Amino acid sequence: MRSATPWSDVVSYLVEATGETLYMVGVSTVIATAFGIPVGVWLQLTAPGGLRPAPVLHRVLGFITDLGRSMPFIVLLVALTSVTRLIVGGSIGSTAVIVPLAVGAIPFVGRLVQNILSEVHVTVVEAAVTTGASTLRIVRSVLIRESLPALINAIGVTVIALIGYSAMAGVIGGGGLGDLAIREGYQRFNDRILWSTVAWLAVLTTLIQLGFTRAARASDRRRHASV
Amino acid sequence: MITVENLTKSFQGVNALNGVTLDVEAGTVLGVVGPSGAGKSTLARCVALLERPDSGAIRVDGTDITALDGSALRAARRQIGVVPQGDSLLRQRTAAGNIALPLESAGIPGPQRRTRVGELLDLVGLTDKAAAYPDQLSGGQRQRIAVARALAANPSVLLADEPTSALDPETTGSVLTVLDRARAELGVTVLVVTHDMGVVRKICDDVAVLEQGRVVEHGKVLDLVNDAGSRTSSALLPAVDLNPINESTYDRVADVVLVGFAAVGALLPEAAHRFSVELNIVGGGLTRLGETPVARFRLGLNGERSDSALEWISEAGGAVQRSLKGPQGVAA
Ligand SMILES: Nc1ncnc2c1ncn2[C@@H]1O[C@H](COP(=O)(O)OP(=O)(O)O)[C@@H](O)[C@H]1O
Ligand SMILES: [Mg+2]
């Protein structure tokens, strides 16, 4: 019978793994948002009743997006190995995980964004059109700004989803909290590490969710009693 | 000034507009009225350059704006201020921010923008609401901000689609006052689409009645009320036959429309005096079209010179619409 890992070691394990997770998820969220928002905007602009309806383009883009979303992450992780090597100069480690995480999240963010933008009322968009605003201005000042609270929430949802996906990072040596729970905890029958990690993950995701909800509410000018 | 020429538009076989021709003189207010489904919104959307007509032209100061694209289209849109049907303000922007939107589109720099927004807030009487968000404003206040936004880029035409349909009568008044001020103070040409004849009564110089995509009546409100058969007169003038009268008590019974202070105030007593007839108002009443008092009365006359009295009234500017009893008409 082996003695339990000392708490001080558990904490340093958690600190290191949290750093890896936040690094992987943070960078891939930024990339996924930077590409996913334009994808969502494009989907919405070309949609029937959008500002630049283009049925064929819309369907092609939608098909690619949905194909990307339906791809299991673990498959993407290995399938993208050569692409990853090309981009980050290696195919293992935390940095290498960022590529499949970001690629997998772009279509996810794209669809979320499109759904959110489609909620902006057509009268509001048309009112902006009648002011002689360019499409770019309408996208920025109307579609995106009017949806900002929902978009911030959507990014929060993406972060949580990516934390989940990043648990599979261990497959290519990415580390992180999921990997810690599986390799050090589950596979080595180390219950203290396993359950500490699970508990910490719950706290972390709750905190992140809370942060995004707060930010979304702060950006929302609707139903504010006073400015 | 704006002219609509022979405009047609159909949607999957439904002819929403069947050759609509209209004109609105600079600095006047035209009300486009008609039943639901008549094509009013389609007309408004074509004029707002949100919908392209199948054929016909829309001329603003002589230039056809229906076939423009790109930046020319955007510039033309700035010439036509639009108050869309329904809630159209950005909910994430303040009242002032909403009014500034057309100015941003026009590339007007910040300081000038702020000055202009201040002027417009003043015009619509909401200076104290500059920093309020739409959710903090009442329906009528939101609609006045929408009017201010429509006027921001100094358009020559102001178009409003059902600007008062969601409002109670009191608030409706405040929005109509703002439209009227826009015409009076900025000289803008106003085209207001409505199903509410009250809007026509309060602010319109001209009216066009649309039915099934066609203009079935178009003219000055004060002219049309003198025309007994017009839709406008029956919709705007007080009813004359609410109380059945005993026509046998009178030698003559006639309906008369009187327009203006002088006519309403003095014409009838003067006629009675001149021709020594007994002249009673047996039906109808008084109303107001804009600032002008207008009356439609049913008159009962007794006396030998009743016909002469009616003739004199007619010559003096009162429109004797029909004689129900007497030489010009047959008792009903
Ligand atoms: N986008 C559209 N697609 C199909 N039919 C339409 C569309 N817009 C208007 N119509 C039809 O055109 C006719 C006129 O509608 P509209 O202009 O909205 O009338 P109004 O504003 O006078 O009530 C109606 O029969 C309506 O169903
Ligand atoms: Mg309508």
Side-chain angles (χ1 to χ4, degrees), chain B residues 19-38:
Chain B
V20 169
T21 298
L22 289 174
D23 62 283
V24 198
E25 252 175 72
T28 66
V29 181
L30 170 74
V32 176
V33 298
S36 181

Side-chain angles (χ1 to χ4, degrees), chain B residues 9-12 14-17 34-43 45 51 85 161-162 193 210:
Chain B
K9 176 78 190 176
S10 62
F11 299 100
Q12 298 108 41
V14 179
N15 292 328
L17 299 177
S36 181
K40 303 183 299 293
S41 290
T42 305
L43 174 64
R45 291 175 60 80
E51 206 86 70
Q85 184 166 8
D161 190 0
E162 302 281 5
V193 167
L210 217 57

